[in-house]
Amino acid sequence: MLGFISARQAGLDDPLRLRRAESTRRVLSLELNKDRDVERIHGSGVNTLDIEPVEGRYMLSGGSDGVVILYDLENFSKKPCYTCKAVCSVGRSHPDVHRFSVETVQWYPHDTGMFTSSSFDKTLKIWDTNTLQPADVFNFEGTVYSHHMSPIATKHCLIAVGTKSPKVHLCDLKSGSCSHILQGHRQEVLAVCWSPRYEHVLATASADSRVKLWDVRRASGCLFTLDQHNGEKSKASSEAANTAHNGRVNGLCFTSDGLHLLTVGTDDRMRLWNSSTGENTLVNYGKVCNTSRKGIKFAISHGCNPEFAFVPYDSNIAVYTIYSGELITMLRGHYSTVDCCVFQSDFQELYSGSKDCNILAWVPALQEPVPEEDNEKHHPPKYFGHSFLGASQPHRSFSTGTVIGSSSGGDKIGSICLDASMNPISLVPELIPGVYKLN
Amino acid sequence: MDQKLSQLVDELTTSGETQLNPEKMKEFKKICKSSDEHINHAYHLLMTQLNKEHAEIRFSAFQIVDELFTRSHQFRALIISNFQEFLELTVETDHEQPLPPPKEVAHKLKKAAIKSVQDWHEKYGEAYKMLSLGYHFLKQNKKVDFQDVNARTLAERRREEEKRKRLENINKEKVKRAQEEMAEMSKEIQDTLTEMENCFRLLMPDPFDFTVNDAELEPVIEKTANEEEPASISMQLADCQPSSLRHIDDEQPCCSKDLPSILPCLKADKNGDLNEELERSDRGAANGDGCSEVELAATTGDDDYETFVRSHGLGSHKYTLDLEISTDIKVRENEDNSAIISSIVDAHKLIGNKFLPSVQLWIQSFTRAGISDDRLRCAIDLKNKLETALEKHKDMNIDYKERKRKVMKVSDDDDDDDEDEFVEVPEKEGYEPHIPDHLRKEYGLDPLSPPKQIGKKPAGGSSFLSSQSQPKRNEEELDPTCAAATLKLLRDKLPQFPLLDSSVSASTEPTASGEPDSKATKQEEERAKAPIIPFGLDLYYWGQDQPTAGKILKFSSQHRFWAPNELEEEVENKEVSEMLKTRYITFAGKFEPVKHKCRAPMPDGSLCERQDRIKCPFHGKIIPRDESGNPVNPEDKAREEKQRFEKQAQQPEWQDPEFMREVEAAVGVDLGSSRYSGKGKKKGKKKKYPNLTDLKQQANTSRSRLEKKVFNKEAMKRVVKAMNRMDRKKHEKFANQFNYALN
């Protein structure tokens, strides 16, 4: 650690190296911390979570009773012990609440003033965060399993929606209508995900055990269908041709660089694919227990050296290294099936929602002795008080993981505080451990 | 140390007791205290025990866990790291993994575990996140009610709730129905009650209701007052008047019993509505009047007090008269009040059979539903009223006339006035004019006069006597389809025909022709002795010669068209003719219970208790034996000796199983002792954990044993085969017919 810092100070190392090493260390030490709690509001299982990419401060959760709750993850209390408060919620008494289980929630990638939620009541709702009123409602013929909005898109404003019908719908927020339909799947579409690298590339996973990649500009069809056998056996058995799994494919996630795609299926397997060629990389993760009938949401770390995947595994969360397929650890804490997890890459925290109504926060373990004074030093300054409305100029640089200095239009001090652990330039070396205290 | 630890855990958990052995526990804790390593080991051991499919093992293991949990941080951390599984194994959080049998212990385990989790949460919930999560999980997701002593699950509670709700609904429905019924019926009930009350009043004026009373008796008083001397008599009458309502029996204050009791003037005045009682007391009063009249007539001359007192034989002038108001009244029905009484009877029936039960039902349904408002009060009021009415009716002691069913009277009874109300109807076929005495009541008839009197009557009497002597026959006669009944009819129609029934002659003749009594009694005795046998052909042809019996016409030619000249040929068949005269009576003999026992000596020294007739299934033919079980006959003895010898020869003496077992135990080599006696083997095999409840034993119910037999694969196959065969047989029945052959 100190070696990294001195090397960084002397300019021998790329600043990224220190950051990577520290992130990795923190991810590896994730544990259930008694100091961190998420308020228990959900009365039934938590299906989906999303942390806004702008600041990584607000988290949305969708429950199987149709409730959507917004949490504030930031700790301003100056105490190590913190319970994440619910800022507001779309409760059962709300006039526009989803009637059935909310399957997916997602923030608008560039702004916290808006979020989307889709539900089994066959609707996709676009919410205004400040008024908590639906700005728009899309209706579908079947229950909506999943929807996704491209995190990087600048040329389009499409939401991909996977429903019970085999068609993938693309809803245009600009026009407020369903602009495209992608045909090709034979059964319900359980997961959709936009590539974080190419804004027009979309991956969809279906119950017909196929995963397709699409370029939404192409009208003729999908780019390619992932094949678990890489085309070797598919000639022999036409039935198994071009299948990604031997069961329903219900989880889908791109790596943060968008070069690889991770899928999970009900055949208890997880597969890593090259997203540009569609090739199965044949990484063996072993058995990944998966009994869910609907989509599951798993997370991939961001900014670590070997990247990690956090995958629900019954009532536990399995942590795998993505490229080697090694099972690092099992995070035990839930008492019922885990449905979703989401990674907060700024502080290397993991949040998971389960059928037992809990949202658990997995926080890096503290390092042993901590100097007292660091705590005050790093609590966020007052003027950093965040408002939804004020997010008109997003700190886009955080989500892409570039160096702080290059951030355009970002508030300098705010950036340092937000990104405290990754910006050693402004820190005196002996104060470094205090960073962890921030959690 | 590790060895010792596992041994201790094993012993503690397989003790099968609800309490842990304190010494062993102490030892166990001491070992655990020595190092974290041991705690780790103990944790794994306990988890394995908790995983065992036996509630008693789990319960004991859980108790150990509970002990260690409060003492060691290390152990807490270990348990909590795997708290999900721990809860699954003890609190039954996973419904796919129910707690193992025995049930009671499993329930106890669950209760204890829930309680412990709560305690732990209170103590350590702060420090251990997983623990508090688990607690909240139980509380909120599994809806475990930590206050609920029964540790019922949500489903159980819900089921109970549902049951309660259903019952409530049913009750509500009942209440609704009762309410409607009440609204409908209360009017009717009130009417009936009023009717009854009025009837009572008419029958029996209320002694305290003087207005009614006066109105009734006024004329009487006035009449007497007018006729007789005014002052004293009216005084006396006033005295007597209340007494007229009482039951005075014969103890009249005046000694006028001997006097002629009928006073014409009073008799004429008698109110028709007054009952017998009133009549009588009236008569009493009348007597009193009569008496006083006489007395007064004698004493009118000297209206001196003394003389009055003396002449009346009274001790003093101011004597007091104690009147006992008796409550047991008796009302008798007569022509005058029959209409009232019949309406009372109707009302009484209505109340007793209809109103009271339904009111009781309402009250029941109201109380069941927990309703205690006006409705219930109203129902109770009604019930009370009805009950008082019934009580009153009982108090009245109404002496009903026999209610007659007029239809039955038509031919039988002698009332002329009845007869002219009915049109003569030809007698029905099979109609029985004679109803036996013991059945007369059922028919609603007066019992016939005693048999002695009837004996004088020519026809009815005779049959009556015979029926008395032969109750069985009598019952048969009642059945119009029976031959006996027809016989009786005949007999009754032709009473003069003496040979038909000897009893007729026996009973009718003695008075008429004076035959000796002894012959009749003798016959009677014989009759009693004779067996009763079912009617048959032999009886039908009794004493008659059947010339054609047993004759069979036989055609010698079998041809359809060609027949021989002599048309038929008679063949006499002895058997057939015999058949008409014979009767087979099977005589099976009497069952005699076996009195002897087998008494063969048993291995345990006692004698065989079996009571077989000839042969004991274990000890062969039953032979006479002495007290010690040895055969008495020498040849038997020899045979038994021989058998024993042969048996011994099969198994050499040195291979005595007992001895062998000892040797084996000493040497440690299996010499095959178990081969010789199956029993020894069974006894020798010890159960692994003798203290635990044997689950197999529990599962070994009569049902499971039967299941094993019935659902045995072989048995099923056999049954199926047999049924298939039966099916095929059914088809085979007509298999030789063209029509069915193809089916």
Side-chain angles (χ1 to χ4, degrees):
Chain A
M1 175 78 202
L2 285 175
F4 274 119
I5 291 168
S6 52
R8 172 75 185 84
Q9 243 177 343
L12 298 173
D13 256 355
D14 192 334
L16 221 55
R17 279 195 60 180
L18 168 65
R19 184 172 146 183
R20 282 216 179 110
E22 192 51 25
S23 302
T24 311
R25 188 191 63 74
R26 282 168 66 86
V27 168
L28 287 176
S29 66
L30 279 181
E31 63 163 26
L32 203 59
N33 197 323
K34 65 176 189 294
D35 289 340
R36 182 62 71 90
D37 248 327
V38 181
E39 210 174 339
R40 199 194 315 269
I41 293 178
H42 280 289
S44 57
V46 181
N47 280 333
T48 171
L49 292 170
D50 191 42
I51 298 175
E52 44 110 355
V54 182
E55 293 171 275
R57 178 176 164 186
Y58 295 102
M59 180 172 74
L60 280 173
S61 71
S64 54
D65 50 356
V67 172
V68 176
I69 296 172
L70 201 157
Y71 291 98
D72 184 0
L73 303 179
E74 204 88 21
N75 180 7
F76 291 123
S77 66
K78 302 187 194 175
K79 284 184 201 118
C81 182
Y82 176 62
T83 304
C84 298
K85 294 270 172 6
V87 181
C88 52
S89 67
V90 182
R92 295 259 20 125
S93 54
H94 194 282
D96 296 308
V97 69
H98 280 293
R99 278 183 297 129
F100 304 132
S101 165
V102 174
E103 284 306 294
T104 316
V105 287
Q106 198 195 0
W107 284 102
Y108 181 59
H110 314 297
D111 193 335
T112 50
M114 186 159 84
F115 66 87
T116 54
S117 67
S118 62
S119 153
F120 271 1
D121 63 5
K122 306 179 183 176
T123 58
L124 164 71
K125 289 185 179 174
I126 320 292
W127 298 84
D128 181 346
T129 319
N130 292 294
T131 59
L132 276 186
Q133 295 296 325
D136 201 356
V137 178
F138 293 91
N139 283 297
F140 300 95
E141 278 135 38
T143 54
V144 183
Y145 283 105
S146 161
H147 75 270
H148 197 236
M149 204 181 221
S150 173
I152 53 151
T154 51
K155 297 198 183 80
H156 70 79
C157 208
L158 293 172
I159 304 174
V161 184
T163 66
K164 191 147 192 189
S165 80
K167 297 167 189 163
V168 179
H169 299 260
L170 295 179
C171 298
D172 196 347
L173 281 186
K174 282 181 187 153
S175 66
S177 65
C178 185
S179 62
H180 286 46
I181 284 174
L182 305 178
Q183 290 194 6
H185 283 296
R186 289 175 196 166
Q187 286 178 40
E188 61 237 52
V189 180
L190 296 174
V192 291
C193 192
W194 289 94
S195 159
R197 196 175 189 90
Y198 309 103
E199 61 176 306
H200 295 289
V201 172
L202 172 72
T204 57
S206 157
D208 61 5
S209 55
R210 270 161 237 264
V211 176
K212 288 177 187 279
L213 269 87
W214 313 78
D215 188 328
V216 294
R217 293 166 298 189
R218 261 171 65 137
S220 58
C222 65
L223 285 176
F224 43 81
T225 305
L226 301 184
D227 182 12
Q228 54 181 325
H229 305 298
N230 284 332
E232 280 163 28
K233 275 188 197 164
S234 56
K235 278 154 203 144
S237 56
S238 59
E239 191 52 44
N242 293 327
T243 54
H245 285 267
N246 293 326
R248 303 152 67 90
V249 188
N250 54 6
L252 196 61
C253 194
F254 277 101
T255 55
S256 53
D257 53 11
L259 291 176
H260 289 91
L261 177 66
L262 212 53
T263 60
V264 290
T266 50
D267 57 351
D268 291 344
R269 288 282 174 273
M270 180 154 80
R271 298 214 160 86
L272 183 72
W273 312 83
N274 186 329
S275 65
S276 55
T277 61
E279 189 190 9
N280 186 356
T281 58
L282 299 173
V283 176
N284 182 14
Y285 297 96
K287 185 187 175 188
V288 183
C289 200
N290 178 359
T291 52
S292 175
R293 301 281 306 159
K294 39 189 197 181
I296 60 169
K297 278 93 189 164
F298 61 98
I300 288 177
S301 73
H302 168 50
C304 306
N305 195 354
E307 294 284 19
F308 301 99
F310 308 95
V311 187
Y313 191 106
D314 262 350
S315 60
N316 307 321
I317 299 162
V319 182
Y320 295 96
T321 56
I322 289 181
Y323 300 110
S324 63
E326 190 187 346
L327 175 63
I328 302 294
T329 178
M330 281 282 197
L331 302 175
R332 292 168 187 277
H334 283 292
Y335 285 85
S336 189
T337 318
V338 179
D339 279 327
C340 57
C341 37
V342 64
F343 186 71
Q344 215 275 15
S345 51
D346 293 341
F347 293 122
Q348 286 83 40
E349 289 168 354
L350 181 73
Y351 293 88
S352 61
S354 149
K355 278 210 178 69
D356 65 5
C357 315
N358 284 328
I359 298 172
L360 294 188
W362 305 86
V363 197
L366 286 181
Q367 273 198 330
E368 287 314 295
V370 181
E372 281 303 317
E373 71 275 4
D374 301 343
N375 213 6
E376 298 113 25
K377 186 91 182 179
H378 290 283
H379 82 82
K382 289 276 185 294
Y383 59 86
F384 190 65
H386 178 86
S387 78
F388 303 121
L389 294 169
S392 56
Q393 187 61 259
H395 304 244
R396 205 165 296 154
S397 53
F398 303 147
S399 57
T400 52
T402 51
V403 186
I404 295 292
S406 71
S407 110
S408 60
D411 186 308
K412 195 67 183 172
I413 305 170
S415 316
I416 290 167
C417 290
L418 245 190
D419 214 9
S421 62
M422 291 100 197
N423 193 0
I425 302 163
S426 65
L427 296 172
V428 193
E430 54 265 33
L431 293 181
I432 285 280
V435 170
Y436 316 126
K437 190 68 185 179
L438 204 68
N439 304 315
Chain B
M1 206 80 134
D2 279 357
Q3 203 93 42
K4 179 87 181 151
L5 201 65
S6 56
Q7 192 190 337
L8 271 173
V9 168
D10 211 44
E11 279 172 14
L12 278 167
T13 51
T14 56
S15 68
E17 283 164 35
T18 51
Q19 296 292 323
L20 296 172
N21 186 341
E23 281 114 66
K24 279 179 190 163
M25 203 54 217
K26 206 178 256 173
E27 206 173 336
F28 179 71
K29 277 188 260 183
K30 216 164 84 189
I31 295 173
C32 286
K33 218 178 273 176
S34 58
S35 79
D36 281 357
E37 200 65 18
H38 286 117
I39 287 185
N40 222 334
H41 188 56
Y43 164 74
H44 287 294
L45 284 172
L46 285 172
M47 276 323 260
T48 21
Q49 292 305 90
L50 274 179
N51 267 307
K52 291 263 166 72
E53 283 297 312
H54 197 298
E56 283 173 6
I57 299 179
R58 281 199 196 181
F59 187 52
S60 299
F62 169 75
Q63 282 172 314
I64 303 174
V65 167
D66 198 18
E67 293 257 343
L68 286 189
F69 194 89
T70 51
R71 281 176 174 72
S72 157
H73 166 78
Q74 167 85 4
F75 191 76
R76 277 198 292 272
L78 283 168
I79 284 284
I80 284 169
S81 72
N82 200 3
F83 207 56
Q84 286 102 327
E85 195 189 344
F86 180 78
L87 288 184
E88 266 168 26
L89 294 176
T90 55
V91 193
E92 207 177 9
T93 49
D94 186 4
H95 56 86
E96 277 167 22
Q97 261 186 67
L99 291 180
K103 229 176 191 169
E104 316 82 60
V105 187
H107 192 71
K108 218 190 284 175
L109 166 66
K110 194 173 167 186
K111 240 160 71 178
I114 285 177
K115 196 169 168 294
S116 293
V117 168
Q118 194 185 13
D119 291 347
W120 295 348
H121 173 69
E122 271 166 25
K123 257 193 213 166
Y124 311 105
E126 289 284 296
Y128 299 91
K129 185 88 187 275
M130 280 280 276
L131 178 59
S132 67
L133 282 176
Y135 175 77
H136 286 294
F137 172 69
L138 284 183
K139 201 169 169 183
Q140 278 160 13
N141 287 44
K142 291 291 160 188
K143 306 276 192 268
V144 170
D145 187 356
F146 287 95
Q147 259 64 38
D148 189 355
V149 270
N150 294 326
R152 292 176 303 173
T153 63
L154 181 66
E156 279 167 340
R157 261 177 282 157
R158 199 172 290 159
R159 219 173 297 134
E160 220 138 282
E161 183 80 6
E162 255 163 36
K163 200 174 161 192
R164 206 174 50 79
K165 217 172 246 173
R166 212 176 51 233
L167 261 178
E168 219 164 64
N169 271 346
I170 291 171
N171 278 339
K172 216 178 262 173
E173 198 63 27
K174 268 191 189 162
V175 164
K176 215 169 133 196
R177 223 177 310 137
Q179 210 175 329
E180 278 166 16
E181 264 181 35
M182 205 161 86
E184 267 174 29
M185 254 161 107
S186 51
K187 179 88 196 343
E188 214 176 317
I189 290 177
Q190 284 298 352
D191 288 351
T192 314
L193 278 174
T194 337
E195 187 191 337
M196 206 161 174
E197 187 58 32
N198 287 340
C199 289
F200 284 147
R201 281 205 182 171
L202 287 174
L203 270 185
M204 172 75 227
D206 193 339
F208 303 106
D209 190 357
F210 288 108
T211 56
V212 179
N213 211 1
D214 287 348
E216 299 253 321
L217 286 169
E218 211 70 38
V220 182
I221 296 162
E222 264 160 23
K223 269 257 166 74
T224 45
N226 286 342
E227 278 181 19
E228 318 299 334
E229 275 234 14
S232 62
I233 296 172
S234 64
M235 256 291 287
Q236 272 226 323
L237 266 179
D239 258 356
C240 283
Q241 186 200 325
S243 81
S244 72
L245 298 169
R246 292 152 216 153
H247 187 75
I248 313 180
D249 283 344
D250 296 327
E251 271 89 57
Q252 304 284 353
C254 306
C255 42
S256 55
K257 260 192 241 173
D258 308 333
L259 285 172
S261 61
I262 301 154
L263 271 179
C265 63
L266 283 172
K267 192 83 175 159
D269 259 46
K270 233 190 285 162
N271 196 329
D273 280 343
L274 288 181
N275 54 43
E276 180 74 11
E277 168 60 24
L278 267 173
E279 272 173 45
R280 209 171 347 136
S281 47
D282 265 349
R283 208 174 298 144
N287 290 349
D289 282 345
C291 158
S292 56
E293 187 186 354
V294 173
E295 301 272 337
L296 282 170
T299 52
T300 35
D302 47 353
D303 23 348
D304 188 6
Y305 276 137
E306 264 73 34
T307 45
F308 179 84
V309 169
R310 203 175 303 135
S311 62
H312 279 78
L314 300 173
S316 146
H317 181 63
K318 328 175 226 174
Y319 73 100
T320 52
L321 192 60
D322 286 331
L323 297 174
E324 209 159 293
I325 299 178
S326 126
T327 46
D328 57 324
I329 332 151
K330 210 157 168 71
V331 178
R332 184 164 298 148
E333 185 180 3
N334 54 26
E335 296 95 56
D336 301 325
N337 58 13
S338 66
I340 299 170
I341 287 195
S342 65
S343 74
I344 282 191
V345 167
D346 287 347
H348 177 249
K349 253 187 207 154
L350 207 59
I351 288 175
N353 294 342
K354 192 180 170 197
F355 294 151
L356 203 59
S358 53
V359 168
Q360 263 156 354
L361 212 70
W362 301 339
I363 290 176
Q364 205 177 21
S365 49
F366 284 146
T367 45
R368 280 244 180 94
I371 285 173
S372 54
D373 55 359
D374 284 346
R375 283 173 284 177
L376 181 65
R377 213 168 305 135
C378 188
I380 289 176
D381 266 3
L382 276 180
K383 191 191 165 202
N384 286 343
K385 272 186 198 161
L386 289 174
E387 270 172 353
T388 37
L390 284 185
E391 191 77 6
K392 217 167 180 181
H393 176 264
K394 206 176 148 201
D395 284 345
M396 293 291 275
N397 257 333
I398 297 173
D399 191 1
Y400 298 116
K401 250 189 202 168
E402 206 65 52
R403 304 258 133 199
K404 288 159 197 167
R405 276 212 271 161
K406 303 243 157 115
V407 193
M408 301 309 287
K409 279 183 191 168
V410 173
S411 64
D412 197 46
D413 265 30
D414 32 16
D415 293 26
D416 294 354
D417 51 311
D418 276 348
E419 218 124 298
D420 46 29
E421 283 179 41
F422 296 95
V423 187
E424 284 286 346
V425 176
E427 245 180 43
K428 247 185 174 177
E429 198 192 343
Y431 168 74
E432 309 132 75
H434 294 287
I435 294 159
D437 200 21
H438 66 280
L439 287 175
R440 284 189 86 81
K441 230 179 211 161
E442 281 179 27
Y443 287 86
L445 295 174
D446 289 324
L448 277 178
S449 40
K452 270 180 255 160
Q453 294 173 350
I454 289 174
K456 284 168 199 160
K457 288 183 190 172
S462 66
S463 75
F464 187 72
L465 250 192
S466 69
S467 74
Q468 249 197 345
S469 62
Q470 275 181 304
K472 183 151 189 237
R473 163 79 67 85
N474 211 338
E475 274 165 37
E476 274 182 2
E477 282 166 358
L478 287 177
D479 186 1
T481 59
C482 184
T486 328
L487 204 66
K488 185 164 179 281
L489 211 69
L490 281 175
R491 200 198 308 144
D492 292 345
K493 274 187 183 159
L494 309 164
Q496 70 276 15
F497 188 60
L499 285 179
L500 196 66
D501 195 338
S502 57
S503 79
V504 175
S505 64
S507 54
T508 49
E509 291 326 291
T511 43
S513 60
E515 256 189 344
D517 240 15
S518 59
K519 197 185 171 188
T521 51
K522 200 182 168 193
Q523 230 162 356
E524 207 104 305
E525 274 170 27
E526 275 175 4
R527 188 174 279 283
K529 255 195 264 169
I532 296 168
I533 51 168
F535 190 71
L537 270 182
D538 55 332
L539 288 182
Y540 186 78
Y541 294 119
W542 190 260
Q544 292 174 14
D545 205 18
Q546 292 286 319
T548 57
K551 299 264 166 68
I552 295 173
L553 291 178
K554 206 174 182 185
F555 298 100
S556 51
S557 163
Q558 304 286 328
H559 202 276
R560 289 184 340 189
F561 310 126
W562 293 107
N565 258 352
E566 57 274 31
L567 260 179
E568 49 208 40
E569 203 170 288
E570 267 190 6
V571 178
E572 185 158 352
N573 194 336
K574 271 268 171 59
E575 271 177 43
V576 175
S577 58
E578 281 301 303
M579 235 156 60
L580 298 177
K581 291 176 190 165
T582 48
R583 173 181 286 262
Y584 292 104
I585 299 170
T586 46
F587 179 68
K590 257 201 189 130
F591 174 74
E592 271 178 54
V594 178
K595 291 207 182 70
H596 56 260
K597 289 179 184 171
C598 168
R599 291 169 56 76
M602 306 266 276
D604 63 348
S606 62
L607 300 179
C608 180
E609 292 286 323
R610 283 192 63 95
Q611 290 187 311
D612 299 282
R613 201 169 287 279
I614 293 158
K615 193 179 171 191
C616 171
F618 300 113
H619 305 104
K621 197 163 174 278
I622 292 170
I623 47 175
R625 292 170 192 270
D626 59 12
E627 292 86 55
S628 51
N630 295 321
V632 175
N633 297 340
E635 60 261 36
D636 290 335
K637 210 181 255 177
R639 200 184 60 231
E640 245 171 49
E641 280 294 318
K642 202 176 155 198
Q643 272 176 0
R644 201 176 300 139
F645 183 74
E646 274 170 10
K647 207 175 179 183
Q648 263 183 1
Q650 283 177 354
Q651 182 189 337
E653 201 172 329
W654 63 268
Q655 277 187 354
D656 176 46
E658 293 279 329
F659 172 71
M660 288 274 281
R661 220 168 289 130
E662 272 171 38
V663 171
E664 272 171 27
V667 181
V669 181
D670 182 21
L671 298 173
S673 69
S674 51
R675 216 172 350 142
Y676 291 107
S677 64
K679 246 185 202 164
K681 192 184 173 189
K682 226 180 223 170
K683 227 177 245 171
K685 189 196 166 194
K686 259 198 194 141
K687 275 204 298 181
K688 205 174 171 192
Y689 304 115
N691 296 326
L692 289 178
T693 315
D694 192 354
L695 296 182
K696 271 182 200 145
Q697 196 74 41
Q698 279 191 335
N700 189 14
T701 57
S702 50
R703 190 192 165 82
S704 70
R705 284 197 301 274
L706 268 176
E707 264 173 5
K708 221 186 269 170
K709 281 252 160 35
V710 172
F711 296 125
N712 185 12
K713 237 183 191 170
E714 283 294 305
M716 297 263 267
K717 239 185 239 167
R718 257 197 326 268
V719 170
V720 167
K721 220 171 166 185
M723 290 183 72
N724 281 342
R725 206 163 49 222
M726 266 152 67
D727 264 2
R728 220 174 302 131
K729 276 259 171 70
K730 214 193 284 171
H731 292 300
E732 272 169 11
K733 194 172 182 186
F734 302 110
N736 51 356
Q737 288 187 21
F738 166 74
N739 234 3
Y740 300 95
L742 296 176
N743 287 349

